[in-house]
Amino acid sequence: MNKNDLGKFFILGFQHGIKKHHIDLIKEIKPAGIILYPSNMRSLSDLQLSIERLHEIIDDGVRLFISSDHEGGQLETVPGILPSPGNKALGASNEPHYAYIFGDFLGNELRKIGFNMLFAPVLDVRANKSSPVVGLRSFSDNPKIVAEYGVNFLKGLNNHIIGTCKHFPGHGKAMQDSHHEIPIIPNLDENDLYPFMKAIEAGAEAIMTAHIIYPQYDDNIIATLSKTILKNLLREKMGYQGLIITDALEMKAIHDNYSPREIVSKFFNATGDLLLVGDCDANFEPLYKELISLYSNGEIDKQLLENSFNRITSLQNQFVEPNYEARFLTEISKKAIKTNINEKLNFSEITFLVPQGDPLSPSDTSNKDYYEYTDLIRNLFENPQITTFNFENGKINGSLEKTELIVSFVVDSFLFEKQLKMQKEIKEYANQVIYIILRDERDLQNYKTEKYVLTNSTKAVSVYYALKTIFDI
């Protein structure tokens, strides 16, 4: 590895949607992975698009872990997966095989969608005064139950994706929430470590750290940055050789108490592997710059980084696949596109006319799809103008301003005379108009002299590929 490979030591999250400049950044620095947050999967369509855009990068040769923190129960983030009663309910069921079945079920569901990693299971042993941040996420206050159910859950997950055990060396006794402040646990003991030891014996591939101070091991610094805890305890005493991943670096326990330089230097010199940056826009750049500086100046042990790089790439080679089971749906969308546009266009001013309206029949729900287009467009374009119109009467909501390009969506305008009239009149407001015909090729007769894309579908993923036909996005 060399300085150009330093992006590999990050997992990035995008709190406000995955924008075009984020895709460009991923292609440039080639991080180890991406975590998808609820803001990247507000709906099933949004999830499908986020996954597909990341897999297009994998298609180009950039291996990516694609993860979430959908643990089940108290913390569920991925739409479309049936809800689980959660870890506490599993632990109370007195049926350890349920933990394995759930892990297998969840891992399979996530893999089919396109994920290959999950930040679960939680191996924290609940205590009498546990913060609600652990709460129902813990299997039990009994370390043997936590270990048994956690390992079963992990084994089920690992049939399909990479499970990540958390939060080492144990968050269960924390009375504070590390999202808001640094907890201190003065009485960590073998019971807290026991589930992690059992997970390591079972072949755990990834462990996430806790932003907590444990004075009996290191009274000066949180576990995430402690060489005593990560290297001496986890790697050497407990014999762990897998990936060490930080909890999110936006959490105040670490963000408000340590500089980017301290975080980078101490974590990697403590044998850590991956920095989880949950808000890339706010926090990635200073951390990345410090890693480059410290690497260039020899202030991080390069052999440790080489070891980390090899651990990361080895696990990616095992679990990162070029395709996923549900991808045939996006392939259908691509193959159904018909267009008379033969070159990519580049415009700085674009207005999008997006339809709204009632169902066209009792057997029609496609009008719900139109609401997905606004988020899609805003993720793909910088500062787009978006205006809506009623596809039945052609009435535009608001007024159109003169612009370079209008991209207008067509909804059966051969049936709606007023819409067709509006679609033709908008040419007065732009240097060029492109029509995205959503539903029916019978509309082609009205636009045969215009630039158009026929999607044969109203789904957001079909619109995505229509826009890719027109623009370099």
Side-chain angles (χ1 to χ4, degrees):
M1 61 158 286
N2 56 49
K3 189 165 70 172
N4 295 328
D5 296 315
L6 294 178
K8 183 71 81 173
F9 299 100
F10 292 87
I11 293 178
L12 303 180
F14 308 103
Q15 298 281 358
H16 309 291
I18 303 176
K19 312 293 186 183
K20 183 180 184 301
H21 66 271
H22 296 140
I23 297 294
D24 293 339
L25 175 69
I26 295 168
K27 291 178 178 177
E28 177 187 353
I29 64 117
K30 300 177 178 62
I34 306 298
I35 177 172
L36 293 183
Y37 287 113
S39 57
N40 314 131
M41 354 181 228
R42 291 178 177 144
S43 65
L44 282 170
S45 291
D46 198 17
L47 169 62
Q48 183 181 40
L49 286 161
S50 294
I51 290 288
E52 179 60 16
R53 293 174 76 197
L54 295 177
H55 271 272
E56 287 178 335
I57 298 173
I58 294 174
D59 290 341
D60 291 336
V62 180
R63 291 188 174 273
L64 292 173
F65 297 131
I66 303 176
S67 185
S68 81
D69 49 15
H70 188 107
E71 301 165 0
Q74 181 173 320
L75 183 55
E76 295 185 331
T77 60
V78 179
I81 296 177
L82 291 174
S84 161
N87 290 348
K88 189 172 186 294
L90 279 169
S93 70
N94 200 32
E95 297 285 354
H97 72 284
Y98 279 147
Y100 175 84
I101 292 170
F102 177 61
D104 185 71
F105 165 79
L106 181 58
N108 186 45
E109 290 290 294
L110 290 169
R111 182 188 54 77
K112 288 192 295 185
I113 294 169
F115 290 93
N116 50 41
M117 176 179 267
L118 179 67
F119 295 147
V122 172
L123 297 185
D124 302 320
V125 180
R126 192 170 61 255
N128 288 335
K129 296 183 179 179
S130 283
S131 163
V133 73
V134 173
L136 301 176
R137 299 165 71 192
S138 174
F139 290 102
S140 177
D141 58 3
N142 183 324
K144 291 186 177 180
I145 291 176
V146 174
E148 184 176 16
Y149 283 74
V151 168
N152 271 285
F153 186 10
L154 178 66
K155 288 180 176 178
L157 284 176
N158 284 353
N159 291 335
H160 310 282
I161 63 175
I162 305 161
T164 306
C165 303
K166 60 187 188 184
H167 308 81
F168 185 82
H171 206 303
K173 289 176 178 172
M175 290 183 283
Q176 302 85 16
D177 185 342
S178 52
H179 289 90
H180 305 302
E181 58 185 310
I182 299 180
I184 299 175
I185 297 179
N187 58 335
L188 190 82
D189 59 34
E190 294 300 316
N191 287 331
D192 299 291
L193 296 174
Y194 180 78
F196 292 98
M197 190 69 248
K198 289 300 178 181
I200 292 168
E201 291 174 0
E205 302 276 14
I207 287 178
M208 179 175 284
T209 64
H211 301 326
I212 295 176
I213 290 177
Y214 303 86
Q216 69 198 86
Y217 288 99
D218 194 331
D219 59 5
N220 294 314
I221 200 163
I222 59 174
T224 297
L225 306 180
S226 170
K227 183 182 290 188
T228 302
I229 292 174
L230 299 189
K231 180 177 183 289
N232 297 353
L233 175 60
L234 181 57
R235 293 252 187 241
E236 295 177 355
K237 184 176 180 180
M238 299 177 72
Y240 177 64
Q241 298 300 316
L243 294 183
I244 298 176
I245 306 171
T246 71
D247 207 342
L249 299 183
E250 286 65 35
M251 298 167 69
K252 291 185 178 181
I254 189 167
H255 182 273
D256 291 0
N257 294 285
Y258 303 95
S259 69
R261 191 172 188 83
E262 287 178 297
I263 292 169
V264 171
S265 174
K266 291 182 182 299
F267 177 69
F268 289 111
N269 281 318
T271 71
D273 299 299
L274 287 169
L275 297 169
L276 173 58
V277 184
D279 188 347
C280 176
D281 291 325
N283 298 310
F284 169 68
E285 186 174 347
L287 291 161
Y288 186 53
K289 285 183 176 178
E290 290 295 354
L291 179 56
I292 292 173
S293 172
L294 291 164
Y295 177 85
S296 300
N297 295 335
E299 295 180 58
I300 295 179
D301 187 323
K302 291 187 177 181
Q303 186 58 55
L304 290 181
L305 285 180
E306 188 76 37
N307 295 342
S308 290
F309 184 84
N310 291 335
R311 280 192 288 267
I312 294 165
T313 54
S314 175
L315 204 56
Q316 286 180 326
N317 289 338
Q318 293 179 56
F319 283 92
V320 178
E321 298 179 354
N323 282 304
Y324 55 98
E325 189 172 330
R327 201 174 195 187
F328 75 95
L329 298 169
T330 64
E331 293 294 329
I332 293 169
S333 298
K334 283 192 286 188
K335 292 182 181 298
I337 297 286
K338 311 297 180 187
T339 183
N340 67 350
I341 301 172
N342 298 317
E343 59 184 4
K344 303 285 186 179
L345 304 181
N346 185 18
F347 287 85
S348 58
E349 295 179 0
I350 309 174
T351 295
F352 293 86
L353 277 178
V354 176
Q356 290 183 341
D358 295 327
L360 290 172
S361 86
S363 299
D364 175 43
T365 61
S366 61
N367 63 308
K368 296 178 182 179
D369 297 334
Y370 309 143
Y371 293 99
E372 306 280 351
Y373 300 172
T374 296
D375 281 344
L376 170 61
I377 291 165
R378 286 179 176 156
N379 283 340
L380 296 178
F381 298 91
E382 298 289 338
N383 302 314
Q385 297 299 310
I386 301 174
T387 302
T388 60
F389 71 93
N390 183 287
F391 63 76
E392 293 181 272
N393 61 29
K395 184 177 179 180
I396 295 173
N397 297 314
S399 59
L400 281 181
E401 301 291 333
K402 187 75 175 176
T403 186
E404 290 184 36
L405 175 67
I406 291 176
V407 177
S408 185
F409 294 88
V410 178
V411 180
D412 288 5
S413 68
F414 66 94
L415 293 176
F416 302 110
E417 182 178 343
K418 291 181 179 178
Q419 183 200 154
L420 179 58
K421 183 173 183 291
M422 179 275 290
Q423 297 284 12
K424 296 297 185 176
E425 288 176 349
I426 61 175
K427 291 193 287 185
E428 300 175 11
Y429 294 90
N431 298 335
Q432 190 167 326
V433 176
I434 295 175
Y435 297 98
I436 298 182
I437 301 168
L438 292 171
R439 294 174 57 93
D440 201 312
E441 68 274 6
R442 283 177 287 180
D443 255 321
L444 293 179
Q445 63 187 327
N446 296 315
Y447 303 92
K448 56 188 176 183
T449 61
E450 315 289 355
K451 290 188 180 295
Y452 66 81
V453 181
L454 172 65
T455 62
N456 290 295
S457 171
T458 59
K459 297 302 175 185
V461 68
S462 295
V463 171
Y464 169 65
Y465 281 112
L467 293 171
K468 281 182 70 91
T469 299
I470 304 167
F471 302 101
D472 185 15
I473 52 176

